[in-house]
Structures are given as C-alpha cells and as structure tokens.
Amino acid sequence: MTKPTSYQKLKQLISNSKYYISNMRTSLDKPPLLVVELTSKCNLDCTMCGKDNSIRTKEHMDFELFRKIIDDANKSNINAFQLSYYGESTLYPKLIEAITYIKENIPNSFISMNTNGLTLTPKFIKNLLDTNIDSIVISIEGNNKEEYEAIRVGGSWNLLRKNIKNLKEMIDANNYLTKIGIMGLNVDDIYIDQDLYIKTWGEYSDTLFSRNTKELNAKIKEPVFHKLLPCRSIFGQMVIMTSGDVTRCDYDWEGVVSYGNVKDSTILELWNSPSLRKIRLKHLLGQKRNIDFCDTCTYRADPFKKSNIL
C-alpha cells in the first residue's frame, strides 16, 4: 500500500480539523448523524468481524420502534441518517419501507447505508433506488477474488462485481442521484493496493477509500497531537442499536457501554445527558485517554487511516 505523502497528510489533517470544528458547533444540542441499526444479522462470516464471538442477540429492529426513532428525530430537527451498523441492512425485511418513511416525513433528509452488496439483485436495486436513498457504500476487502473470498467468508467476488455493475448502470440509465461509495479494510497482511483498487472499482463508484482494522491500528504508534484531539465519533453521531439501546460510539459493537434506550427517553435527552456531556468535555480537554473504554480504543490511532484514494 502506497504511503501518503507529506502533502496528503497535511491535507487530511486540515480535513479532520474542519470536521471536528463543524461537528462541535452542531453537536452541542443534537447529534449531527443518527446511526440506526436496522439489523444485527448478517449473511457472511468475515474474518475481521468477530461475529461468532459476539454476545449480542441477532435480531431485526421492531419497525414500530424505528418509526418512533424517526418521528423523534424529525421533532429534533435531525436529518442525517446512516441505516447500518453491525449487521447487513439489506436483510432487514422492511428496509424499503424504512427509507421511504424517512423521505416522506423528513424531505430534506440525507440517508446512507453500508452493505456487502451481495443481495443487490436487479429488482432489489430498483426498489432501493426508487426510495431516493442518497448514498450506498459497499464494503470490499482484498485486491482479487482469492483475497476477497478469504476475508469475506461466504461471499462471491463474481456475484459482487455483477451486482455493482448493475447498480451503476441502473443509476446512470435512469438519472438517479444516489452516490456509490466503495470502502476497503486492510486486514491482517492483506493490504489494499490503491492503484489496483482504483482500476478495479473506480468506474463504478463516486468515492473510494480505505482504512485499517482495529488490530492493525493497535500496532501504529499514536502521534502525540492525536492523543489530544477529540474523537469524531463522540461528537459526530449517535448510535442506536436494534434493541433501542444507545451506545457510546460506533466502535462499541457489543454495546458494552449504554446510556439509555430510545424506548424510555428522547434522542435529545440521551444526547444531552450529564454522562455524555462529561465525556465530550474530557475529549475537548485532551483527556480522552483517561476515560474507561476510550483509554484503549484504537479507532483513531492512525489519523490518516481513512484516506480518500481517488
């Protein structure tokens, strides 16, 4: 994998700084982004996921709970949503209804979704695009069929390529505004070759980016200045799991630390709870390494791990 140049590092640092400042301004009262986990079920057994060791119940979110969340978000003037977290969102039986419900009730909303892309049949693609979803991000590891299928156990490289080609062609042919993002993780000793990644997927996507897994980040020495920077996840989003539990950030996949449930409290009550405000203040004061869970988190250990490679 090509190392970033000094210019690229500086550009990424400036981009990160703008992100922090923007989110700090907008997150004082409400979360800039609402991450809603529609399902914790998945159709693959990826090597980096740890699904087999997970203690979580594999379940779909109750649709009435989903509606309650969106109604509350609407009242709170929240309009940015990511309908994916730990599971494969396309397995959610009411995915189309969920996106439609947001678009009908919050017309100025922005909706994104992550997927492994393997369930994107032509009919499903059309139904999905007809909802006017704003962004579909497809996760692809490895540089070829062998590497991909070794990491994404149960996946098919050939089917994935076919589905992505169909998705891009349908968007272009019908002038849909949906953007395609393709993201790859560097897993174990399989690093993404950026030039090859662009050559393979560039024509099908609007954005390409790569990042490291937690295990790889743990091996990277954290820059001193980065220890002092507040985490983007703490300020940038609220994660609501299938059960309705609100976890601290998008790296707490197991929901080890929960600050309440949207069944019992409003989004703004949870976001502005004294415990979360205290954590955000510590991050602003450069004390995130003194917080339980944040002290050993490697999510932001490499400030350039999520670099746009287009």
Side-chain angles (χ1 to χ4, degrees):
M1 181 175 178
T2 306
K3 293 183 178 180
T5 63
S6 297
Y7 172 75
Q8 289 173 324
K9 288 183 178 181
L10 178 60
K11 186 177 179 180
Q12 185 66 37
L13 178 58
I14 293 174
S15 174
N16 281 352
S17 300
K18 289 181 179 179
Y19 184 95
Y20 289 132
I21 294 171
S22 174
N23 274 350
M24 286 177 205
R25 287 175 178 171
T26 59
S27 67
L28 294 178
D29 299 313
K30 64 181 182 180
L33 172 69
L34 208 60
V35 178
V36 183
E37 182 185 49
L38 298 178
T39 183
S40 54
K41 296 183 178 183
C42 190
N43 54 344
L44 295 181
D45 189 19
C46 303
T47 59
M48 69 285 189
C49 186
K51 180 167 63 71
D52 289 341
N53 297 321
S54 175
I55 60 175
R56 293 191 55 198
T57 301
K58 304 302 183 293
E59 61 183 359
H60 297 312
M61 175 178 281
D62 180 79
F63 193 65
E64 288 307 309
L65 174 59
F66 174 81
R67 286 163 57 99
K68 181 182 185 298
I69 292 169
I70 301 309
D71 291 345
D72 188 11
N74 194 9
K75 294 176 184 176
S76 306
N77 295 316
I78 298 170
N79 62 1
F81 304 89
Q82 177 182 312
L83 300 184
S84 51
Y85 183 44
Y86 189 65
E88 171 54 42
S89 294
T90 61
L91 299 183
Y92 187 60
K94 292 184 176 292
L95 175 61
I96 303 302
E97 292 93 327
I99 299 171
T100 301
Y101 189 79
I102 296 176
K103 288 296 184 180
E104 288 180 347
N105 289 276
I106 311 177
N108 65 332
S109 60
F110 179 91
I111 305 174
S112 65
M113 181 191 76
N114 290 18
T115 175
N116 56 42
L118 294 171
T119 61
L120 299 181
T121 63
K123 181 179 179 180
F124 190 91
I125 290 172
K126 185 180 187 308
N127 291 338
L128 188 59
L129 295 177
D130 282 343
T131 67
N132 294 317
I133 187 171
D134 298 276
S135 174
I136 300 172
V137 179
I138 303 171
S139 300
I140 307 173
E141 280 69 51
N143 301 293
N144 51 52
K145 175 180 171 65
E146 290 71 29
E147 292 180 352
Y148 169 81
E149 294 182 357
I151 297 171
R152 295 231 162 218
V153 180
S156 168
W157 174 267
N158 294 334
L159 176 61
L160 178 65
R161 287 185 59 85
K162 176 184 176 182
N163 290 351
I164 293 177
K165 183 174 182 291
N166 288 340
L167 174 63
K168 177 61 173 175
E169 289 178 349
M170 196 170 295
I171 289 175
D172 292 344
N174 297 279
N175 297 315
Y176 288 108
L177 299 179
T178 303
K179 300 298 183 183
I180 300 175
I182 294 181
M183 178 186 73
L185 288 173
N186 296 313
V187 182
D188 298 327
D189 58 345
I190 301 178
Y191 279 72
I192 289 174
D193 182 314
Q194 295 188 358
D195 292 334
L196 181 56
Y197 208 69
I198 293 173
K199 182 179 179 180
T200 305
W201 305 112
E203 65 179 301
Y204 304 118
S205 62
D206 297 285
T207 306
L208 291 168
F209 53 97
S210 62
R211 62 186 180 89
N212 293 331
T213 59
K214 176 181 178 181
E215 288 70 25
L216 286 177
N217 280 326
K219 299 176 183 178
I220 300 173
K221 185 177 181 180
E222 184 179 33
V224 174
F225 80 90
H226 193 259
K227 292 181 181 179
L228 303 177
L229 286 176
C231 178
R232 294 162 63 153
S233 293
I234 293 294
F235 288 87
Q237 60 194 10
M238 173 186 278
V239 179
I240 304 175
M241 306 174 84
T242 53
S243 62
D245 284 340
V246 172
T247 187
R248 180 179 299 184
C249 69
D250 63 342
Y251 217 46
D252 185 9
W253 298 320
E254 296 291 337
V256 175
V257 182
S258 175
Y259 292 95
N261 192 294
V262 290
K263 295 177 184 177
D264 309 313
S265 305
T266 68
I267 292 171
L268 295 188
E269 286 172 346
L270 293 166
W271 183 253
N272 292 294
S273 64
S275 54
L276 277 179
R277 281 184 174 274
K278 183 178 180 180
I279 288 173
R280 286 195 286 269
L281 177 60
K282 285 190 174 183
H283 273 253
L284 288 173
L285 295 175
Q287 299 174 4
K288 66 183 178 185
R289 293 311 183 196
N290 297 326
I291 304 172
D292 184 38
F293 189 82
C294 297
D295 58 347
T296 58
C297 180
T298 58
Y299 190 40
R300 298 296 172 190
D302 176 9
F304 310 114
K305 73 184 181 69
K306 186 176 180 180
S307 57
N308 192 310
I309 60 176
L310 275 181

